[in-house]
Amino acid sequence: MTLNSDESPAGEPANGLAAREAAIAIAEAALDHRGGLEEALERPPFSKLEPRDRAFARMLAMTLLRRLGPIDARLQAKLAKEPPLAVVMLLRLGVVQALYLDTPAFAAVDTTVRLAERDKTTRPFKGLINGVLRGILRDPPREDDPESLVPGWLFARWRAAYGEAEARAIAAVVPFEPATDLSVRDPAEAAELAGPLEAEILPGPSLRVRQHGDVAGWSGYHEGRWWVQDAAAAIPARLLQVQAGETALDLCAAPGGKTLELAAAGARVVALDRSGPRLGRLKQALQRTGLSADIVTADAATWRDARRFAAVLLDAPCSATGTFRRHPDVLWGSKPGDIASLATVQARLLDAAADRVEAGGRLVYCVCSLEPEEGEAQAVALLKRRTDLELWPIEPGEGGSPEASATPAGTLRILPHHLEGGLDGFFVARFRKT
């Protein structure tokens, strides 16, 4: 995207410093802890901006997070020693504007220096900021190596799990802003909805919309004809093959896209999650779409209820490394120890989910993680623990899954580059209770 010398991509004047300060606050929160990005988007300074400026600030922050590895590599080459974090964040913002948003060089440097002047911590570093940014702008342009877009420890894991070529293909998806995918309440209406939305129809079907803006203004929203859900996230519920009138249990259900799918297929759904506030979003979505489900706020591992279900779906808590397209902060907020601790939680939840399946019923387990310990290893261990379960192989292409995602074992390993334009990374396994 090329900008005019006096305008940002969102139409925000290039000297508008408030939006840039908000972008730094968003990025800092995202890098400070998991979930910090979403929290920062709901509080000042971001929440006090006008809508146009919010769009600009969010775009700056997300580009910074998607390009953080190459940005820091360029800065480290110019810095003899690392300055305070506040200065580093200003430098990162300057590089984002200059190299990735095609902001004119003078504007990228000038606005960053002016931001430094506004705070006593960064004011003494104005000369450093000016010199470093000008030095980077004088360097010959170069393409970012995909490996540099991901923390080294994480890329090493992907290389070990999938090989060098696949690891690089996964990482190459990181910089690109994803389109918005929609699941439709009635699959027969996909073609009808695609026209006014200017959407691409994906297998499943899902709709891929490339326009931006508030989805509440899109055709079919207020009629509840669709909901936002990544194309990969829509696949697990389809694999349960629920029939009208069957009982279904969606464990760890919030924010609720899979519950909506099961309800739209005619199942009598119980949606359970430990987070009441997140279930509130599901209640709103059910009301908008005219669908119904019983909502239960409880811990799936300790829920006291004697019922058994024909279909059980467990989308377990995980490292979420497969969601980096929409949440690039997960790449930098995750730590190696997280994966082992989450794997313990997943095993406990899987046993609880298996106990909820009636004889002859089905269980689908999925995680939006690229880490084998959270996916393949969990499926293998479950079958060793539970003689009452057998793997029900998933056929290539079933449920709208990419053909490339089918594994010889009969599970799905969806990688972000398996669909043109990208999709979330997932592991999915399906079982029958004997």
Side-chain angles (χ1 to χ4, degrees), residues 354-369:
D355 288 340
R356 299 289 173 182
V357 183
E358 66 183 30
R362 296 93 68 198
L363 166 66
V364 164
Y365 169 73
C366 64
V367 282
C368 54
S369 166

mmCIF file with all atom_site columns, all heavy atoms in Angstrom, residues 354-369:
data_model
loop_
_atom_site.group_PDB
_atom_site.id
_atom_site.type_symbol
_atom_site.label_atom_id
_atom_site.label_alt_id
_atom_site.label_comp_id
_atom_site.label_asym_id
_atom_site.label_entity_id
_atom_site.label_seq_id
_atom_site.pdbx_PDB_ins_code
_atom_site.Cartn_x
_atom_site.Cartn_y
_atom_site.Cartn_z
_atom_site.occupancy
_atom_site.B_iso_or_equiv
_atom_site.pdbx_formal_charge
_atom_site.auth_seq_id
_atom_site.auth_comp_id
_atom_site.auth_asym_id
_atom_site.auth_atom_id
_atom_site.pdbx_PDB_model_num
ATOM 1   N N   . ALA A 1 354 ? -14.536 -37.828 26.703 1.00 0.00 ? 354 ALA A N   1
ATOM 2   C CA  . ALA A 1 354 ? -14.836 -39.211 26.329 1.00 0.00 ? 354 ALA A CA  1
ATOM 3   C C   . ALA A 1 354 ? -15.905 -39.812 27.236 1.00 0.00 ? 354 ALA A C   1
ATOM 4   O O   . ALA A 1 354 ? -16.759 -40.595 26.787 1.00 0.00 ? 354 ALA A O   1
ATOM 5   C CB  . ALA A 1 354 ? -13.557 -40.050 26.380 1.00 0.00 ? 354 ALA A CB  1
ATOM 6   N N   . ASP A 1 355 ? -15.896 -39.434 28.509 1.00 0.00 ? 355 ASP A N   1
ATOM 7   C CA  . ASP A 1 355 ? -16.902 -39.936 29.443 1.00 0.00 ? 355 ASP A CA  1
ATOM 8   C C   . ASP A 1 355 ? -18.307 -39.445 29.088 1.00 0.00 ? 355 ASP A C   1
ATOM 9   O O   . ASP A 1 355 ? -19.299 -40.059 29.498 1.00 0.00 ? 355 ASP A O   1
ATOM 10  C CB  . ASP A 1 355 ? -16.564 -39.486 30.868 1.00 0.00 ? 355 ASP A CB  1
ATOM 11  C CG  . ASP A 1 355 ? -15.355 -40.216 31.438 1.00 0.00 ? 355 ASP A CG  1
ATOM 12  O OD1 . ASP A 1 355 ? -15.013 -41.297 30.916 1.00 0.00 ? 355 ASP A OD1 1
ATOM 13  O OD2 . ASP A 1 355 ? -14.743 -39.677 32.386 1.00 0.00 ? 355 ASP A OD2 1
ATOM 14  N N   . ARG A 1 356 ? -18.392 -38.350 28.349 1.00 0.00 ? 356 ARG A N   1
ATOM 15  C CA  . ARG A 1 356 ? -19.687 -37.762 28.006 1.00 0.00 ? 356 ARG A CA  1
ATOM 16  C C   . ARG A 1 356 ? -20.311 -38.355 26.748 1.00 0.00 ? 356 ARG A C   1
ATOM 17  O O   . ARG A 1 356 ? -21.447 -38.027 26.400 1.00 0.00 ? 356 ARG A O   1
ATOM 18  C CB  . ARG A 1 356 ? -19.523 -36.248 27.809 1.00 0.00 ? 356 ARG A CB  1
ATOM 19  C CG  . ARG A 1 356 ? -19.022 -35.504 29.033 1.00 0.00 ? 356 ARG A CG  1
ATOM 20  C CD  . ARG A 1 356 ? -20.072 -35.442 30.093 1.00 0.00 ? 356 ARG A CD  1
ATOM 21  N NE  . ARG A 1 356 ? -19.546 -34.869 31.354 1.00 0.00 ? 356 ARG A NE  1
ATOM 22  C CZ  . ARG A 1 356 ? -20.255 -34.732 32.446 1.00 0.00 ? 356 ARG A CZ  1
ATOM 23  N NH1 . ARG A 1 356 ? -21.518 -35.122 32.448 1.00 0.00 ? 356 ARG A NH1 1
ATOM 24  N NH2 . ARG A 1 356 ? -19.731 -34.226 33.540 1.00 0.00 ? 356 ARG A NH2 1
ATOM 25  N N   . VAL A 1 357 ? -19.584 -39.219 26.046 1.00 0.00 ? 357 VAL A N   1
ATOM 26  C CA  . VAL A 1 357 ? -20.071 -39.780 24.787 1.00 0.00 ? 357 VAL A CA  1
ATOM 27  C C   . VAL A 1 357 ? -20.888 -41.033 25.072 1.00 0.00 ? 357 VAL A C   1
ATOM 28  O O   . VAL A 1 357 ? -20.434 -41.932 25.789 1.00 0.00 ? 357 VAL A O   1
ATOM 29  C CB  . VAL A 1 357 ? -18.900 -40.109 23.842 1.00 0.00 ? 357 VAL A CB  1
ATOM 30  C CG1 . VAL A 1 357 ? -19.422 -40.637 22.505 1.00 0.00 ? 357 VAL A CG1 1
ATOM 31  C CG2 . VAL A 1 357 ? -18.021 -38.875 23.619 1.00 0.00 ? 357 VAL A CG2 1
ATOM 32  N N   . GLU A 1 358 ? -22.072 -41.107 24.511 1.00 0.00 ? 358 GLU A N   1
ATOM 33  C CA  . GLU A 1 358 ? -22.890 -42.304 24.689 1.00 0.00 ? 358 GLU A CA  1
ATOM 34  C C   . GLU A 1 358 ? -22.350 -43.438 23.825 1.00 0.00 ? 358 GLU A C   1
ATOM 35  O O   . GLU A 1 358 ? -21.562 -43.220 22.890 1.00 0.00 ? 358 GLU A O   1
ATOM 36  C CB  . GLU A 1 358 ? -24.342 -42.007 24.322 1.00 0.00 ? 358 GLU A CB  1
ATOM 37  C CG  . GLU A 1 358 ? -24.566 -41.702 22.851 1.00 0.00 ? 358 GLU A CG  1
ATOM 38  C CD  . GLU A 1 358 ? -26.006 -41.345 22.526 1.00 0.00 ? 358 GLU A CD  1
ATOM 39  O OE1 . GLU A 1 358 ? -26.714 -40.787 23.397 1.00 0.00 ? 358 GLU A OE1 1
ATOM 40  O OE2 . GLU A 1 358 ? -26.428 -41.614 21.382 1.00 0.00 ? 358 GLU A OE2 1
ATOM 41  N N   . ALA A 1 359 ? -22.745 -44.667 24.117 1.00 0.00 ? 359 ALA A N   1
ATOM 42  C CA  . ALA A 1 359 ? -22.305 -45.822 23.328 1.00 0.00 ? 359 ALA A CA  1
ATOM 43  C C   . ALA A 1 359 ? -22.687 -45.622 21.863 1.00 0.00 ? 359 ALA A C   1
ATOM 44  O O   . ALA A 1 359 ? -23.831 -45.286 21.551 1.00 0.00 ? 359 ALA A O   1
ATOM 45  C CB  . ALA A 1 359 ? -22.938 -47.093 23.873 1.00 0.00 ? 359 ALA A CB  1
ATOM 46  N N   . GLY A 1 360 ? -21.712 -45.808 20.983 1.00 0.00 ? 360 GLY A N   1
ATOM 47  C CA  . GLY A 1 360 ? -21.947 -45.599 19.561 1.00 0.00 ? 360 GLY A CA  1
ATOM 48  C C   . GLY A 1 360 ? -21.833 -44.158 19.130 1.00 0.00 ? 360 GLY A C   1
ATOM 49  O O   . GLY A 1 360 ? -21.969 -43.850 17.939 1.00 0.00 ? 360 GLY A O   1
ATOM 50  N N   . GLY A 1 361 ? -21.584 -43.241 20.079 1.00 0.00 ? 361 GLY A N   1
ATOM 51  C CA  . GLY A 1 361 ? -21.495 -41.823 19.765 1.00 0.00 ? 361 GLY A CA  1
ATOM 52  C C   . GLY A 1 361 ? -20.134 -41.424 19.232 1.00 0.00 ? 361 GLY A C   1
ATOM 53  O O   . GLY A 1 361 ? -19.208 -42.231 19.119 1.00 0.00 ? 361 GLY A O   1
ATOM 54  N N   . ARG A 1 362 ? -20.022 -40.135 18.907 1.00 0.00 ? 362 ARG A N   1
ATOM 55  C CA  . ARG A 1 362 ? -18.803 -39.627 18.277 1.00 0.00 ? 362 ARG A CA  1
ATOM 56  C C   . ARG A 1 362 ? -18.169 -38.525 19.124 1.00 0.00 ? 362 ARG A C   1
ATOM 57  O O   . ARG A 1 362 ? -18.868 -37.767 19.797 1.00 0.00 ? 362 ARG A O   1
ATOM 58  C CB  . ARG A 1 362 ? -19.104 -39.044 16.882 1.00 0.00 ? 362 ARG A CB  1
ATOM 59  C CG  . ARG A 1 362 ? -19.609 -40.043 15.872 1.00 0.00 ? 362 ARG A CG  1
ATOM 60  C CD  . ARG A 1 362 ? -21.124 -40.083 15.843 1.00 0.00 ? 362 ARG A CD  1
ATOM 61  N NE  . ARG A 1 362 ? -21.718 -38.844 15.322 1.00 0.00 ? 362 ARG A NE  1
ATOM 62  C CZ  . ARG A 1 362 ? -22.978 -38.501 15.503 1.00 0.00 ? 362 ARG A CZ  1
ATOM 63  N NH1 . ARG A 1 362 ? -23.801 -39.272 16.209 1.00 0.00 ? 362 ARG A NH1 1
ATOM 64  N NH2 . ARG A 1 362 ? -23.451 -37.372 14.974 1.00 0.00 ? 362 ARG A NH2 1
ATOM 65  N N   . LEU A 1 363 ? -16.863 -38.444 19.044 1.00 0.00 ? 363 LEU A N   1
ATOM 66  C CA  . LEU A 1 363 ? -16.086 -37.409 19.721 1.00 0.00 ? 363 LEU A CA  1
ATOM 67  C C   . LEU A 1 363 ? -15.121 -36.795 18.716 1.00 0.00 ? 363 LEU A C   1
ATOM 68  O O   . LEU A 1 363 ? -14.414 -37.518 18.010 1.00 0.00 ? 363 LEU A O   1
ATOM 69  C CB  . LEU A 1 363 ? -15.308 -38.005 20.894 1.00 0.00 ? 363 LEU A CB  1
ATOM 70  C CG  . LEU A 1 363 ? -14.194 -37.145 21.525 1.00 0.00 ? 363 LEU A CG  1
ATOM 71  C CD1 . LEU A 1 363 ? -14.777 -35.908 22.194 1.00 0.00 ? 363 LEU A CD1 1
ATOM 72  C CD2 . LEU A 1 363 ? -13.384 -37.973 22.541 1.00 0.00 ? 363 LEU A CD2 1
ATOM 73  N N   . VAL A 1 364 ? -15.110 -35.475 18.630 1.00 0.00 ? 364 VAL A N   1
ATOM 74  C CA  . VAL A 1 364 ? -14.108 -34.763 17.838 1.00 0.00 ? 364 VAL A CA  1
ATOM 75  C C   . VAL A 1 364 ? -13.266 -33.924 18.789 1.00 0.00 ? 364 VAL A C   1
ATOM 76  O O   . VAL A 1 364 ? -13.801 -33.172 19.611 1.00 0.00 ? 364 VAL A O   1
ATOM 77  C CB  . VAL A 1 364 ? -14.762 -33.870 16.754 1.00 0.00 ? 364 VAL A CB  1
ATOM 78  C CG1 . VAL A 1 364 ? -13.760 -32.849 16.218 1.00 0.00 ? 364 VAL A CG1 1
ATOM 79  C CG2 . VAL A 1 364 ? -15.271 -34.734 15.607 1.00 0.00 ? 364 VAL A CG2 1
ATOM 80  N N   . TYR A 1 365 ? -11.959 -34.088 18.671 1.00 0.00 ? 365 TYR A N   1
ATOM 81  C CA  . TYR A 1 365 ? -10.993 -33.311 19.454 1.00 0.00 ? 365 TYR A CA  1
ATOM 82  C C   . TYR A 1 365 ? -10.229 -32.412 18.503 1.00 0.00 ? 365 TYR A C   1
ATOM 83  O O   . TYR A 1 365 ? -9.767  -32.854 17.448 1.00 0.00 ? 365 TYR A O   1
ATOM 84  C CB  . TYR A 1 365 ? -10.020 -34.247 20.178 1.00 0.00 ? 365 TYR A CB  1
ATOM 85  C CG  . TYR A 1 365 ? -8.833  -33.528 20.795 1.00 0.00 ? 365 TYR A CG  1
ATOM 86  C CD1 . TYR A 1 365 ? -8.988  -32.749 21.942 1.00 0.00 ? 365 TYR A CD1 1
ATOM 87  C CD2 . TYR A 1 365 ? -7.565  -33.624 20.228 1.00 0.00 ? 365 TYR A CD2 1
ATOM 88  C CE1 . TYR A 1 365 ? -7.906  -32.100 22.504 1.00 0.00 ? 365 TYR A CE1 1
ATOM 89  C CE2 . TYR A 1 365 ? -6.471  -32.978 20.794 1.00 0.00 ? 365 TYR A CE2 1
ATOM 90  C CZ  . TYR A 1 365 ? -6.645  -32.209 21.934 1.00 0.00 ? 365 TYR A CZ  1
ATOM 91  O OH  . TYR A 1 365 ? -5.582  -31.556 22.496 1.00 0.00 ? 365 TYR A OH  1
ATOM 92  N N   . CYS A 1 366 ? -10.092 -31.137 18.874 1.00 0.00 ? 366 CYS A N   1
ATOM 93  C CA  . CYS A 1 366 ? -9.320  -30.236 18.027 1.00 0.00 ? 366 CYS A CA  1
ATOM 94  C C   . CYS A 1 366 ? -8.604  -29.192 18.879 1.00 0.00 ? 366 CYS A C   1
ATOM 95  O O   . CYS A 1 366 ? -9.022  -28.870 19.996 1.00 0.00 ? 366 CYS A O   1
ATOM 96  C CB  . CYS A 1 366 ? -10.209 -29.558 16.978 1.00 0.00 ? 366 CYS A CB  1
ATOM 97  S SG  . CYS A 1 366 ? -11.489 -28.466 17.649 1.00 0.00 ? 366 CYS A SG  1
ATOM 98  N N   . VAL A 1 367 ? -7.520  -28.690 18.326 1.00 0.00 ? 367 VAL A N   1
ATOM 99  C CA  . VAL A 1 367 ? -6.781  -27.565 18.926 1.00 0.00 ? 367 VAL A CA  1
ATOM 100 C C   . VAL A 1 367 ? -6.293  -26.669 17.792 1.00 0.00 ? 367 VAL A C   1
ATOM 101 O O   . VAL A 1 367 ? -5.892  -27.155 16.733 1.00 0.00 ? 367 VAL A O   1
ATOM 102 C CB  . VAL A 1 367 ? -5.570  -28.023 19.770 1.00 0.00 ? 367 VAL A CB  1
ATOM 103 C CG1 . VAL A 1 367 ? -5.998  -28.543 21.130 1.00 0.00 ? 367 VAL A CG1 1
ATOM 104 C CG2 . VAL A 1 367 ? -4.729  -29.062 19.041 1.00 0.00 ? 367 VAL A CG2 1
ATOM 105 N N   . CYS A 1 368 ? -6.308  -25.353 18.039 1.00 0.00 ? 368 CYS A N   1
ATOM 106 C CA  . CYS A 1 368 ? -5.787  -24.411 17.043 1.00 0.00 ? 368 CYS A CA  1
ATOM 107 C C   . CYS A 1 368 ? -4.298  -24.182 17.296 1.00 0.00 ? 368 CYS A C   1
ATOM 108 O O   . CYS A 1 368 ? -3.826  -23.054 17.404 1.00 0.00 ? 368 CYS A O   1
ATOM 109 C CB  . CYS A 1 368 ? -6.573  -23.106 17.077 1.00 0.00 ? 368 CYS A CB  1
ATOM 110 S SG  . CYS A 1 368 ? -6.665  -22.331 18.716 1.00 0.00 ? 368 CYS A SG  1
ATOM 111 N N   . SER A 1 369 ? -3.566  -25.271 17.385 1.00 0.00 ? 369 SER A N   1
ATOM 112 C CA  . SER A 1 369 ? -2.142  -25.270 17.691 1.00 0.00 ? 369 SER A CA  1
ATOM 113 C C   . SER A 1 369 ? -1.383  -25.996 16.600 1.00 0.00 ? 369 SER A C   1
ATOM 114 O O   . SER A 1 369 ? -1.889  -26.952 16.006 1.00 0.00 ? 369 SER A O   1
ATOM 115 C CB  . SER A 1 369 ? -1.891  -25.964 19.043 1.00 0.00 ? 369 SER A CB  1
ATOM 116 O OG  . SER A 1 369 ? -0.520  -26.264 19.212 1.00 0.00 ? 369 SER A OG  1
#
